[in-house]
Amino acid sequence: MEFNFKQIFTAFMVLFAVIDIIGNIPIIIDLRKKVGHIQSEKASIIAGIIMIVFLFVGERLLHFIGVDVNSFAVAGAFILFFIALEMILGITLYKEEESNSITASVFPLAFPLIAGPGSLTTLLSLRAEFEIQNIICAVIINVLVIFIVLKTSSRIERLIGPNGIRIIRKVFGVILLAIAVKLFTANIKALLI
């Protein structure tokens, strides 16, 4: 078992771009306002566990239940699409009364925002190119970055201010919408062929 720092760095950067924790700051701040407190440690650890477990059993699990990777990605694109609509239009699609800090740390924060269809399908793609231990290292580094961002989200909010948050929320809502559309179109083609 040999660690390759180039593979670790490349896998880290790919996952970092797909997870887009910086772009999710407006969602995190909004979620924290709805539920009061987000359990940063729990959300980070659960997201990391989901990603590592999916790295080992994802393709077999999907195959076992009769779902291919493309169908999984299309379903995830719908979730991202609705989250993006919430951000852009300022509406709430998820039921607020069921949310508390424990459930919000798991859904929608740990899954599907952090360990979502984009990152999970990316892990399957990385597995074809890189050694498994290097991908695991990249996941762990991403989880540490995610934890730091979750812990400092209130400071980031104070630094940016309410108007800055609204602007960033709308901009990243459009970006998230574009990612959802890209994820949908890339995978729907594979399903239709």
Side-chain angles (χ1 to χ4, degrees):
M1 187 161 90
E2 194 176 313
F3 291 97
N4 182 322
F5 291 105
K6 186 180 177 192
Q7 283 192 11
I8 293 170
F9 180 74
T10 305
F12 164 76
M13 289 307 292
V14 169
L15 280 170
F16 184 77
V18 171
I19 294 169
D20 191 25
I21 193 65
I22 304 299
N24 285 326
I25 287 174
I27 300 172
I28 295 162
I29 291 167
D30 190 50
L31 196 61
R32 200 182 71 243
K33 283 180 182 170
K34 287 179 185 175
V35 298
H37 171 72
I38 290 173
Q39 296 177 341
S40 307
E41 301 88 359
K42 186 173 187 170
S44 304
I45 291 168
I46 289 172
I49 290 169
I50 290 170
M51 287 190 280
I52 290 171
V53 167
F54 196 81
L55 182 64
F56 286 100
V57 299
E59 208 163 346
R60 280 178 289 189
L61 179 67
L62 291 176
H63 182 70
F64 178 73
I65 58 175
V67 176
D68 59 38
V69 175
N70 300 110
S71 299
F72 181 77
V74 167
F78 282 116
I79 293 170
L80 293 177
F81 178 82
F82 290 121
I83 291 169
L85 283 182
E86 280 190 338
M87 292 174 72
I88 296 165
L89 302 176
I91 58 173
T92 303
L93 298 172
Y94 294 111
K95 291 183 180 178
E96 287 184 59
E97 65 269 12
E98 292 176 14
S99 290
N100 59 45
S101 64
I102 296 166
T103 57
S105 297
V106 178
F107 183 84
L109 192 54
F111 182 85
L113 281 179
I114 299 168
S119 55
L120 297 180
T121 51
T122 300
L123 284 170
L124 295 180
S125 303
L126 290 172
R127 183 144 188 208
E129 287 183 55
F130 301 136
E131 296 293 323
I132 197 111
Q133 69 272 11
N134 298 325
I135 300 170
I136 292 170
C137 284
V139 168
I140 292 167
I141 296 167
N142 266 294
V143 167
L144 290 173
V145 171
I146 289 162
F147 172 74
I148 291 166
V149 170
L150 291 177
K151 269 294 190 202
T152 59
S153 64
S154 58
R155 276 182 241 148
I156 294 168
E157 179 187 14
R158 281 194 299 272
L159 184 71
I160 296 171
N163 287 332
I165 296 294
R166 274 189 225 103
I167 292 166
I168 291 172
R169 184 173 164 77
K170 304 282 184 201
V171 169
F172 280 106
V174 173
I175 292 169
L176 189 63
L177 191 62
I179 291 169
V181 170
K182 184 180 178 186
L183 193 62
F184 178 81
T185 54
N187 287 283
I188 202 77
K189 285 178 195 169
L191 289 173
L192 297 174
I193 295 173

